[in-house]
Amino acid sequence: MDDTTGITVTGRGEATYAPDAMVVTVGVSVLRPTMTAARTEAATTTERILTALRAGGVQDRHVRTDQLSVQPEWDHRGPRPRRTGFRVTTTLQVRIEDIERAAGLLDRGVDAGGDDAVLQDVRFVLDPSPGRQAELRELAWREARTKAEHLAELAGADLGDVLDIIELSGHDPAGPGPRPMMRMAAAEAMPPIAEGELALSLALRVRFEIV
């Protein structure tokens, strides 16, 4: 049969789930008169943050370096620019699976970093799960089948066999994109964290024979 014949419909399955984890980007931004001083202080402060996070139960496999930059800073006031020092920024991407304890863990990390600590990004994630994918396929299939049956009824025809099924990409449940880096004062307590729910979706494009 010609692949342009039949009834082609798209069914979409969507469901919401509580996040599996929270991913945060935390680190340090250090300005010192010399590059050596800035690098040394950044390394020391970053290690303090890592130690605090480990003490709170974060595993090393859930931490990776996200950014490392070294650059001079200049004072452009006056007739000629004047170098005032060097800034070293180091950020870590940290996955926190116990979301209820996330605010407390971030407090630990920020307190350990002191006035040089920065918090850049907070987002929630859903992990791929065969069970979730199966649930979404079932929902998408039901919708596709219902649409096709209705169209066949309107056309005065009967629905035949399935000729093609194509699974389309779903939504990436990564939460909002990166947020601007903000410096956290060591004495500030982390505000409450509301995890909410994230949606996963999957679509099927199905072509049915009509008889």
Side-chain angles (χ1 to χ4, degrees), residues 7-11 141 144 162 164-166 204-208:
I7 295 177
T8 301
V9 294
T10 299
W141 168 257
V162 174
D164 291 305
I165 302 178
I166 299 174
L204 297 176
R205 183 178 296 140
V206 187
R207 185 164 64 97
F208 293 89

Side-chain angles (χ1 to χ4, degrees), residues 170-194:
H171 172 62
D172 178 16
R179 300 177 184 175
M181 182 168 59
M182 59 181 177
R183 187 178 299 274
M184 301 293 294
E188 292 181 7
M190 200 61 57
I193 294 175

Side-chain angles (χ1 to χ4, degrees), residues 34-104:
T34 66
M35 182 183 295
T36 298
R39 290 174 57 189
T40 300
E41 186 63 27
T44 301
T45 307
T46 299
E47 187 57 40
R48 288 204 304 268
I49 292 175
L50 280 170
T51 299
L53 293 174
R54 291 182 186 120
V58 176
Q59 302 178 40
D60 285 344
R61 65 189 178 93
H62 289 155
V63 181
R64 69 175 178 84
T65 299
D66 184 63
Q67 177 190 0
L68 174 60
S69 67
V70 181
Q71 57 188 5
E73 292 225 343
W74 301 85
D75 182 353
H76 293 279
R77 295 172 297 179
R80 300 179 61 182
R82 180 177 61 89
R83 191 174 66 198
T84 58
F86 289 85
R87 182 174 297 279
V88 176
T89 301
T90 303
T91 58
L92 306 169
Q93 191 171 92
V94 183
R95 177 185 171 98
I96 301 174
E97 297 191 331
D98 189 347
I99 297 176
E100 291 185 357
R101 298 180 58 233

Side-chain angles (χ1 to χ4, degrees), residues 7 147-160 209-211:
I7 295 177
K147 285 182 179 179
E149 289 173 346
H150 187 216
L151 289 171
E153 180 183 350
L154 292 174
D158 293 321
L159 209 59
E209 180 184 18
I210 51 175
V211 295

Side-chain angles (χ1 to χ4, degrees), residues 118-134:
V118 294
L119 180 65
Q120 182 174 348
D121 184 26
V122 177
R123 59 194 172 93
F124 296 98
V125 295
L126 286 174
D127 293 329
S129 162
R132 288 170 179 167
Q133 294 296 305

